[in-house]
Amino acid sequence: MKARSKRAPTSEAPDLKGLRAMPSLGKASAELLVDVGITTPDMLRQIGAVEAWRRLRFAHGKRVTVTWIYALDIAVQGIPWKELSAARARKLAAAAKAIMAGIDPPVPKRRKG
C-alpha cells in the first residue's frame, strides 16, 4: 500500500531548482513551499508573499518566522535584500502579525504572585 503525500495536489510538477534560484530562497524554503502546494516560481508570484507566508505559517507553525515573509517578498519581486524598503517591510510585518493573531494560539498571561 502506498503512503499518501501530505502535499496539496497541483497540476504542475514541483520546480525545486526554479524556486531555489529565486532571490533569498534556498533548499529548505523551496521544499516547504512545495509542501504547501506552491510548486513553481510562477505560482509563488501569482499567490504573493503574504498568502504564501500564511500557508507556510499555518502548516509549519512558529518554525516560519516573520523573516520568511520578507524573503518571500524579495523572491516575488526578484530583488536583493538591501532593496526591500523599510515601508514595505513594515507592511509585511503588519500582515504577518495579523495572520499570526488569527492562527497562533494566544499566549496566556502569567499572573504575578
Side-chain angles (χ1 to χ4, degrees):
M1 179 179 245
K2 268 188 168 179
R4 289 185 182 216
S5 172
K6 289 187 208 175
R7 294 185 179 130
T10 62
S11 58
E12 297 183 56
D15 180 8
L16 285 172
K17 279 187 178 181
L19 288 167
R20 289 177 65 185
M22 296 178 83
S24 78
L25 299 185
K27 182 181 178 188
S29 51
E31 288 173 350
L32 291 182
L33 285 166
V34 169
D35 187 53
V36 297
I38 302 169
T39 58
T40 67
D42 283 341
M43 285 181 81
L44 178 55
R45 287 183 200 100
Q46 288 173 349
I47 290 168
V50 173
E51 175 59 17
W53 190 85
R54 185 196 65 76
R55 292 180 188 189
L56 288 166
R57 183 69 180 217
F58 184 79
H60 299 284
K62 293 181 180 180
R63 173 181 180 188
V64 179
T65 63
V66 174
T67 304
W68 283 58
I69 202 167
Y70 306 137
L72 291 166
D73 195 62
I74 287 164
V76 167
Q77 291 188 62
I79 61 171
W81 271 94
K82 63 184 176 185
E83 289 184 23
L84 181 66
S85 72
R88 180 67 181 155
R90 283 190 300 275
K91 286 182 182 180
L92 291 167
K97 187 176 181 179
I99 291 167
M100 288 186 290
I103 60 176
D104 290 351
V107 177
K109 292 185 180 184
R110 294 186 67 168
R111 295 179 77 179
K112 292 182 181 180

